Amino acid sequence: MEVSKIALVRVLAVALSLCAVVRCCSAHHVSVACMMAYDEGGSPALFRSQECPLREWTPSNGVSQNHPTANCGFAAAILQGRRNYQEDRIACNPAMKIPFLGNDGQKNVSVGVAAVFDGHGGAEASEFASKKFLSYFYLNVLFNIYKQASPHKGNDEANQNKSSVESRSGTTSSLIDDTSLYDILNEALIRTFRDIDSEFTREALRNNYASGSTGTVALIVNGRLLVGFVGDSKALLCSNRSLASQGGEGTSMRTSYVQELTKDHHPDREDEKARIETAGGFVHTWGVPRVNGILAMTRAIGDLSLRRFGVIAEPEVIAWQTLTTDNSFLVIGSDGIFEGLTPANVCAILHNNACKPGTTESSGSSSCLAPSALANRIVNNAYENGSHDNISVIVIHLESAYHSQ
């Protein structure tokens, strides 16, 4: 126990050295008590701890929960559609500032975060996830950066990591290179899903909620993309590839193509079905394949009644990939989009209606749409093509700032 306390004190010393960047010490009172609370219960424990005054804290520049599409920073649209209720929610921050200590000293890394949560059986799970995700994710990143920078990480790790610098406080702290940062973001994404689910479980048991939610989240940083998901909300990468034209020298043509970044967690997926059956559940087709004839997905936040039958909230994470100049749009949408449109249809709408570089909606043709209008065009097209579900989408125009140089 004493060794553990000493390690936490050393971690705190590193946290203090980073306060010039994040200004956390005076505003958020990061302390040994906070570090201990985090170790015991993750991000939710920080808000419950009486000794760690973070209960009212949320990261700046986040999405407004009362008007979720107004301050998203990315193009977004939500439509209730033909349902009598709205269970879709979104959360996003186009430039979450993450502090870390790298080879060039202390600096901020800008991380774009975009998430779609499609609720079922009620809006409680999707509402909870959308309100908590940004705060929990930021804390998971921040506290794991502190841990990574700690000089006390065990003898083996200390011997392997010989790169260190003297911080202003006089404490030796390990440098966090780009690879470490990507690993931290990956782990933070997974932990945030776990934190959301564990805390919603407490809420659901206390209030007798039966609801659940999908969750599809994309991170964009330094021209790289990471996607994690549970359920059947999708993420697509819409791209244009240049092809040499046979019509003459020096000319070329563009062809559109789509990459589906997610693979729906449906009960007829062999790997998902195997887990359900191993846990004692079964798959029955009632309209579509369903777990125990009830739930049309095998992974979800919430859905407590089906946990013992193999339904989990552990996200599937697609490995980091580098964006290129071919990549034009990232789309994250609830399954209501894809009741009326195929992924190829979605990308075609974007490529056919987006303003060309150097033009605007006012200067272009009538079909040249600003990003916000593109999101609305997708939602309205899905509705007009027969979608009966709630419909929500986030469209991210992958400008040069997101591309690898």
Side-chain angles (χ1 to χ4, degrees):
M1 183 64 180
E2 292 301 320
V3 173
S4 178
K5 287 182 177 179
I6 291 172
L8 287 170
V9 170
R10 290 180 176 176
V11 170
L12 176 61
V14 176
L16 291 170
S17 72
L18 293 175
C19 281
V21 177
V22 295
R23 298 178 181 176
C24 60
C25 297
S26 60
H28 306 308
H29 306 289
V30 173
S31 64
V32 172
C34 290
M35 296 301 299
M36 294 181 71
Y38 179 79
D39 281 342
E40 292 173 0
S43 297
L46 296 173
F47 290 89
R48 291 195 300 267
S49 172
Q50 297 300 313
E51 297 177 307
C52 186
L54 295 176
R55 289 180 294 280
E56 303 301 323
W57 182 81
T58 55
S60 61
N61 302 319
V63 64
S64 165
Q65 292 304 324
N66 293 326
H67 302 90
T69 63
N71 300 315
C72 182
F74 300 128
I78 296 181
L79 182 68
Q80 185 170 320
R82 294 175 172 83
R83 292 286 181 90
N84 295 324
Y85 41 82
Q86 175 61 273
E87 295 174 326
D88 282 5
R89 299 290 188 274
I90 67 170
C92 71
N93 186 331
M96 182 179 285
K97 303 302 182 185
I98 304 294
F100 80 108
L101 188 62
N103 291 316
D104 299 327
Q106 296 173 356
K107 63 179 180 179
N108 283 342
V109 171
S110 181
V111 180
V113 185
V116 167
F117 303 98
D118 180 357
H120 49 263
E124 298 90 357
S126 56
E127 178 77 6
F128 185 90
S130 66
K131 284 186 173 181
K132 301 292 186 180
F133 194 90
L134 294 175
S135 296
Y136 285 5
F137 175 73
Y138 184 90
L139 289 172
N140 273 316
V141 175
L142 198 64
F143 276 71
N144 279 284
I145 285 177
Y146 292 162
K147 288 174 177 290
Q148 181 75 17
S150 169
H152 188 86
K153 298 187 293 180
N155 291 335
D156 290 341
E157 289 187 59
N159 289 334
Q160 290 174 7
N161 191 347
K162 297 179 181 180
S163 180
S164 64
V165 295
E166 289 293 325
S167 72
R168 292 179 182 177
S169 66
T171 302
T172 300
S173 60
S174 300
L175 290 175
I176 298 176
D177 58 19
D178 287 346
T179 300
S180 298
L181 180 63
Y182 292 133
D183 289 342
I184 287 170
L185 292 170
N186 190 325
E187 180 61 23
L189 180 60
I190 294 171
R191 289 191 179 200
T192 301
F193 271 94
R194 293 172 182 169
D195 286 349
I196 292 290
D197 186 65
S198 66
E199 193 66 4
F200 179 71
T201 295
R202 294 165 60 96
E203 292 281 324
L205 291 173
R206 184 162 50 245
N207 297 288
N208 198 32
Y209 294 149
S211 60
S213 178
T214 72
T216 296
V217 183
L219 307 180
I220 301 175
V221 56
N222 294 336
R224 300 186 74 187
L225 170 68
L226 182 73
V227 175
F229 63 101
V230 297
D232 57 5
S233 294
K234 295 182 185 293
L236 314 173
L237 195 57
C238 300
S239 303
N240 267 318
R241 181 183 291 118
S242 295
L243 297 177
S245 174
Q246 298 179 357
E249 295 182 2
T251 62
S252 64
M253 58 182 297
R254 306 279 285 176
T255 181
S256 175
Y257 66 99
V258 57
Q259 179 184 358
E260 295 190 40
L261 301 173
T262 53
K263 185 179 179 182
D264 295 344
H265 291 132
H266 285 164
D268 55 352
R269 251 183 69 169
E270 288 302 320
D271 53 345
E272 296 294 300
K273 181 179 180 181
R275 188 185 66 254
I276 296 300
E277 292 178 343
T278 298
F282 61 91
V283 175
H284 175 72
T285 298
W286 183 50
V288 295
R290 300 175 184 269
V291 177
N292 289 11
I294 302 170
L295 185 63
M297 63 192 72
T298 54
R299 301 195 194 196
I301 297 164
D303 289 303
L304 270 60
S305 65
L306 294 172
R307 288 297 172 79
R308 67 182 185 275
F309 298 112
V311 173
I312 61 175
E314 188 74 7
E316 188 171 353
V317 178
I318 307 303
W320 286 100
Q321 67 179 76
T322 300
L323 297 171
T324 73
T325 53
D326 285 346
N327 305 137
S328 48
F329 294 95
L330 174 66
V331 179
I332 307 171
S334 63
D335 68 332
I337 292 289
F338 304 100
E339 282 188 6
L341 300 171
T342 67
N345 293 153
V346 170
C347 291
I349 290 171
L350 294 173
H351 287 141
N352 292 338
N353 294 281
C355 295
K356 300 297 186 292
T359 65
T360 64
E361 188 174 13
S362 59
S363 66
S365 66
S366 60
S367 63
C368 172
L369 300 179
S372 59
L374 290 173
N376 286 318
R377 176 67 63 91
I378 291 171
V379 165
N380 291 332
N381 268 258
Y383 180 79
E384 292 168 2
N385 279 277
S387 177
H388 291 272
D389 205 347
N390 299 152
I391 309 171
S392 60
V393 67
I394 297 175
V395 176
I396 302 173
H397 193 185
L398 298 172
E399 298 173 336
S400 59
Y402 297 134
H403 293 153
S404 58
Q405 301 299 319

